[in-house]
Structures are given as C-alpha cells and as structure tokens.
Amino acid sequence: MNKSESKYFNTALRMDEALIALLEEKDLEYITVKEICRRAGVNRSTFYLHYETIADLTDEAMDMIDRRFESYFPRREEEITDGIASRERKELVLVTREYLLPYLRFIRDNKKVYRAAFRAPGSVQAARRYGNLRQRIIGPVLERFGVPAAHRPYYMVYYVEGIAAIVKEWLRRDCEDDVEMVAGIIEACVRPREGFCEK
C-alpha cells in the first residue's frame, strides 16, 4: 500500500469510527454528513470522495465490524459450515464456550457498535447479518437434527433472540460481569443441565 492509498484508507477508517460513535447517540436517519465529517475531522468533499451516501458508509462500517468479528474466532466460518453435513450430531451444538467466548469478548471490546445495533437494528442491517447466520449455520444444523422446515424459523428466532436478550442485559450493565460468567449463563439457558440450580 503506497502513501496515498494508506491516507485514503485511514480517512475512510476515521469516518467508519465516526459513524459508529454517532450511532450510539442517535438513529441513523438523524445522522448528517456534516456530523460525520466533524467527528472524523474531514470536510464534506472528502466524504463525497469516498461515498455517495451515508448508506454507503454504513455498509462499509458494518463490513469492517464483520471482519473484526471474524478475527476473534479460532476457526473460520467455512470450516464450521463445510463440516455440518459430515459431522456427528453431538458436535453440532454451536452454543459452546469455543464460540461464545470469542463472541462475548468481541461484544465487550465493541460495546458502542452493539449498543447502536440494539437501539436501531435497521441502521446496522442486523436482520441481514443474522439472516446469514440463520441460513448458513443454524438452518443446516436444525435440518441435521430432523427439525421440520416449518418449525425451523421458530427455533431460529428463539436461539438468536434469546442470546441477544442476554447480551442486551449485559451491555446495559456495561459488560461489567465476566465473559466466562455470561457464557455460562447462555449455555445453561440453551442447554440446561441437571443439578444446575442445586447448592
């Protein structure tokens, strides 16, 4: 990457970060180009050199978040999705510490983005992003377990929304509780074990 490409990239990154910070304060439809530019320390012509609309910047910022998210996981998504058809059913439980801990660490390290996502899911295209998770991972796993196609949307919404509710409460508490503790709570809710409540 040459010097001008590096400068272009760094300017775009500042605008991504500015948008993310503003999303924590207000809904996307109320954010202006002027506010993004002021927060990023650039002028309007620089914004329009990079993007045609705020929606273009939003797409780029969310793609950046997705790339950061993937870097937290020990295994790539392809390794997970490619093996669904051939793995034993007992290996297809995705709510395990292997997946929960990186997921929760990422949320803790990117609290602003997740607060914005819960405040205005449409602005960060949460439905599209969770739709990909449902189609590529959860759907095939449910199929392997013989869950009828008509029932799968209900299982999926329960799975995604249940975990999201726990994460939302954790964010409300500013992620003060330990990642291990929150992972344990999610595991217990999704796969309760005997004697969990016994003392």
Side-chain angles (χ1 to χ4, degrees):
M1 183 183 300
N2 66 37
K3 189 175 179 181
S4 65
E5 288 173 332
S6 176
K7 185 176 178 183
Y8 185 91
F9 176 79
N10 287 333
T11 302
L13 185 61
R14 286 200 327 261
M15 287 190 278
D16 290 342
E17 298 290 354
L19 175 65
I20 290 164
L22 286 165
L23 280 170
E24 188 175 3
E25 299 168 11
K26 56 172 77 175
D27 292 341
L28 182 64
E29 59 266 21
Y30 299 110
I31 295 174
T32 65
V33 170
K34 181 178 179 180
E35 290 174 307
I36 293 166
C37 292
R38 184 173 51 239
R39 184 76 59 107
V42 301
N43 59 42
R44 288 177 69 89
S45 61
T46 301
F47 177 90
Y48 289 109
L49 177 66
H50 288 264
Y51 315 102
E52 287 185 28
T53 65
I54 291 177
D56 294 336
L57 171 61
T58 303
D59 286 342
E60 180 184 278
M62 293 306 108
D63 287 343
M64 176 193 71
I65 294 300
D66 287 346
R67 285 191 302 278
R68 283 185 191 168
F69 182 68
E70 290 167 10
S71 73
Y72 273 62
F73 286 84
R75 292 198 286 166
R76 295 171 49 86
E77 182 186 334
E78 297 82 38
E79 293 176 45
I80 299 166
T81 57
D82 291 347
I84 288 174
S86 60
R87 289 164 83 184
E88 294 206 23
R89 283 177 26 166
K90 66 181 179 182
E91 296 176 13
L92 293 177
V93 178
L94 297 177
V95 182
T96 63
R97 300 233 171 198
E98 179 185 5
Y99 300 103
L100 285 174
L101 293 176
Y103 170 66
L104 293 171
R105 287 182 187 119
F106 183 80
I107 291 170
R108 180 197 59 205
D109 296 346
N110 294 274
K111 290 187 271 192
K112 288 182 180 181
V113 174
Y114 279 85
R115 284 190 187 116
F118 283 119
R119 277 181 73 262
S123 65
V124 293
Q125 303 138 9
R128 179 173 66 88
R129 288 176 157 66
Y130 279 125
N132 190 30
L133 171 71
R134 289 174 176 145
Q135 267 190 305
R136 296 186 63 194
I137 298 176
I138 302 173
V141 167
L142 293 174
E143 185 177 350
R144 281 288 311 279
F145 277 93
V147 175
H151 297 194
R152 289 181 206 152
Y154 295 101
Y155 279 74
M156 288 181 199
V157 77
Y158 176 80
Y159 177 83
V160 172
E161 297 296 328
I163 292 173
I166 292 171
V167 167
K168 190 173 184 178
E169 177 61 19
W170 188 44
L171 283 167
R172 193 185 67 72
R173 297 167 181 252
D174 200 33
C175 300
E176 289 179 0
D177 292 315
D178 182 63
V179 167
E180 290 276 349
M181 177 187 139
V182 177
I185 291 168
I186 292 170
E187 279 185 311
C189 289
V190 175
R191 295 183 295 135
R193 12 182 228 287
E194 279 191 49
F196 178 74
C197 295
E198 293 175 6
K199 278 279 182 187

